[in-house]
Amino acid sequence: MYIVDDEDSYKLYVDGRVVAAAADVGSAFSAYFAAFYVYNLAFPHQALKTLIFLQKFAFSIDERSKEQNIVRARRSCIALVETLAGNPSAC
């Protein structure tokens, strides 16, 4: 999984396919982070501690209630996708 900075947007790729696009870095990173939950991917070893830190403090996801958090993360991801889909200029 990786993000590419195109001329006018950021594109998130999973297995070589574009799965999301965003107009700004914050939205691109949120989509990147949500993709771990949506696609049930493990954090990469090289970024594990950083992503766990962000999971806990930036996204308020606590491992103790992971099921609830997965549902909340999926809802947030769906809301982000719906927002981006409703505003084509954001992509």
Side-chain angles (χ1 to χ4, degrees):
M1 179 168 45
Y2 55 94
I3 296 175
V4 174
D5 180 8
D6 281 348
E7 292 177 19
D8 58 348
S9 68
Y10 296 89
K11 291 189 169 71
L12 174 64
Y13 288 80
V14 175
D15 290 334
R17 292 185 170 167
V18 176
V19 295
D24 60 85
V25 174
S27 295
F29 186 77
S30 293
Y32 171 79
F33 193 84
F36 286 104
Y37 286 89
V38 171
Y39 296 106
N40 197 27
L41 301 172
F43 291 149
H45 178 72
Q46 302 88 337
L48 183 63
K49 290 181 182 179
T50 301
L51 290 170
I52 289 173
F53 174 83
L54 291 170
Q55 172 182 297
K56 286 183 178 183
F57 298 105
F59 293 99
S60 301
I61 299 173
D62 185 0
E63 284 294 316
R64 287 174 274 169
S65 57
K66 192 171 183 176
E67 270 187 40
Q68 290 176 330
N69 291 317
I70 289 172
V71 169
R72 187 172 53 220
R74 285 185 178 153
R75 286 182 185 149
S76 296
C77 181
I78 289 168
L80 175 63
V81 169
E82 288 173 347
T83 299
L84 294 173
N87 185 3
S89 64
C91 295

